[in-house]
Amino acid sequence: MSAVERDDRQSRERHWQEARDRLDGLPAGGLNIAYEAVDRHVVHGDGDTLAFRFLGEDGPPEDITYRQLSERTSRFANLLADLAVPAGSLVFTLSGRNPDLYVAMLGALKACCGVSPLFSAFGPEPVRQRMAAGHGRVLVTTASAYRQKVAPVRDQLPDLEHVLVIGAGADTLDAPGVHDLAALMERSSKDYEIPRTDPEDIAFVHFTSGTTGMPKGAVHVHAACVAHSATGRSVLDLQRGDIYWCTADPGWVTGTSYGLVAPLTCGVTCIVDEAEFDAVRWYGILEDEHVSVWYTAPTALRMLMKAGPAAHEGSDLGGVRHVCSVGEPLNPEVVLWGQRELGLDIHDTWWQTETGAIMIANVPGLQIRPGSMGRPVAGIEIALMQRDAGGERLRDAEGRLVPVAGFGDEGEIAIRTPWPSLMRAYLGAPDRYASCFADGWYLSGDLARRDEDGYVWFVGRGDDVIKSAGHLIGPFEVESVLMEHPAVAEAGVIGVPDPTVGELVKAFVELKGGFAPSEDLRRDLIALGRRRLGAAVAPRSIEFAAHLPLTQSGKIMRRVLKARELGLLEGDLSTLGSTP
Ligand code: 6R9
């Protein structure tokens, strides 16, 4: 290691140590996210500050102070103890955005259980798949989600002992281990002392999709909150007194890392909207709730753009101080629209489930270059690694990764390890985990370029994973469900470009002998997708093909399907991809 490299490493270590020193640590020793996010503020005399304001679909908002949040999360932690759920167990959540969901997540962290949030728009199959892979013991959900998504697959979830049901009607669910959450909370004590928590203890498992196989459970630990609080300050510019709105759902990593952990560790007030997107409603929230910091996504911004100026006519967005975006490429048009129409600079940020926290960003004060994701944040070093013509990582004679030669060259984003929020494992998949690292770098799979001033420009993903409305979708998961249909011989799933949501899920289907393409069959397949996978993951369109292009080893060549879709290739699909 050169002297410069050693200095750089020391300065990164110092940065993270300073960020850690700004947190309190547990009275009992160690570091626990729920203590840093909640109880600490009560200890420091800020118990009356609002932690959350929940905006229901209708009716008055529900406000929760840090003190009330501390008590409610303690009740939840005690409730887990009463049910004899041991530390280290995984608690899954499956619910829309409501107070009980956030209380359960933080309460489980207090009890040193891991939390795995599931997206409420998942169907029974993604839910079953993830809960089985995580050996979930506890599930916090609503009565309707239980009935529709869990009851049908409950017999395939042998580890699931307790189902804690949010909202009225739990008693109408007659199934083993089903409890009425409100009744248990009522009986449980509001006093709880968080036990000593090792910073390396499991805190969250976020399932994320890859190109092949089923989703991977990225394991995150309590130490991650060092990076969340630091980037909450340095990137989101969160300061005391801020009213902050993160529009992401906690079923995805942004909604927990930056919808829960980062803002609460910074002691600000979080707005949570329980309703779905509506342009007029959103402008109303920004103005009426006096939102000062807003973290949202390109799809939402493009939907606001599409709604036109009438949707914000008369709104005063002057209270909004800082706006950030994440999850998919933020096209320059959106940045320019924000400046022109809203008078706001939109600051793009880049990170992944695996990195746990923001890695590249347009931090406050950095001159925005529309279309660029910004520069690596403090404490983070990146490099761009070359790939060969076949898309494989290039190695030198000693087998080491090769950084790109010059500015403007395309390469895979690699991040120097370690940093506090880096995932610590993929659940039960050590080989897949190991394959994300080489030579002291984490390899992201994303391709980018860098200019002379260190700004990073996103080029694309290096794999077949689909990003639709900011949500990652694994093509294999979708293909597997389509293959369940008796008429389907092969299925290949890709993302087709869409001006609003980035990509739409499209399936190419080859039928078995004796079946012919028809409108009825197409509808049947779409319905199967929606029923089993849920609206967030199901294919939007189906194209029948006589033969799908396969590699010699029998794998679907999704790239060929994509090239065909984009008009880059013409002709019969069966002859396009087949290798001789
Ligand atoms: C936080 C989150 C990660 C993938 C990532 C990349 C894409 C995220 C982006 C972006 C272009 C940005 N992505 N931020 N692409 N510009 N600013 O989204 O995590 O769901 O794991 O997705 O999202 O492809 O690799 P996750």
Side-chain angles (χ1 to χ4, degrees), residues 5 15 48 67 101 110 113 148 176 228 415 437 460 487-488 528 559 563:
E5 281 173 337
H15 172 82
D48 294 329
R67 178 174 299 103
L101 170 69
K110 279 191 168 178
C113 288
Q148 289 167 24
H228 295 131
I415 309 165
F437 300 90
V488 175
L528 170 73
R559 260 134 224 261

Side-chain angles (χ1 to χ4, degrees), residues 218-298:
V219 175
H220 289 281
V221 298
H222 284 269
C225 72
V226 172
H228 295 131
S229 61
T231 50
R233 277 191 308 271
S234 66
V235 182
L236 302 180
D237 194 32
L238 294 175
Q239 302 167 20
R240 289 177 141 247
D242 268 329
I243 298 180
Y244 166 73
W245 184 24
C246 170
T247 61
D249 188 276
W252 300 92
V253 72
T254 305
T256 49
S257 289
Y258 291 97
L260 182 76
V261 181
L264 295 185
T265 52
C266 292
V268 304
T269 299
C270 302
I271 301 293
V272 178
D273 185 20
E274 297 180 23
E276 290 314 312
F277 175 86
D278 175 86
V280 174
R281 182 181 169 95
W282 275 37
Y283 285 121
I285 291 174
L286 288 171
E287 182 179 5
D288 299 344
E289 300 304 331
H290 310 287
V291 171
S292 51
V293 180
W294 187 33
Y295 199 17
T296 189

Side-chain angles (χ1 to χ4, degrees), residues 91 137 231 246 255 288 378 407 467 482 550 553 556 568:
V91 173
R137 276 176 107 119
T231 50
C246 170
D288 299 344
F407 299 119
K467 259 266 159 148
L482 292 173
L550 299 179
S553 59
I556 298 273
L568 303 173

Side-chain angles (χ1 to χ4, degrees), residues 181-239:
L181 177 61
L184 293 187
M185 287 286 278
E186 181 79 40
R187 281 203 294 276
S188 130
S189 161
K190 64 178 176 45
D191 298 314
Y192 183 83
E193 196 188 330
I194 303 177
R196 205 199 116 70
T197 309
D198 192 304
E200 291 299 309
D201 280 350
I202 184 169
F204 286 104
V205 175
H206 291 293
F207 282 88
T208 183
S209 300
T211 299
T212 53
M214 285 303 178
K216 308 163 276 189
V219 175
H220 289 281
V221 298
H222 284 269
C225 72
V226 172
H228 295 131
S229 61
T231 50
R233 277 191 308 271
S234 66
V235 182
L236 302 180
D237 194 32
L238 294 175
Q239 302 167 20

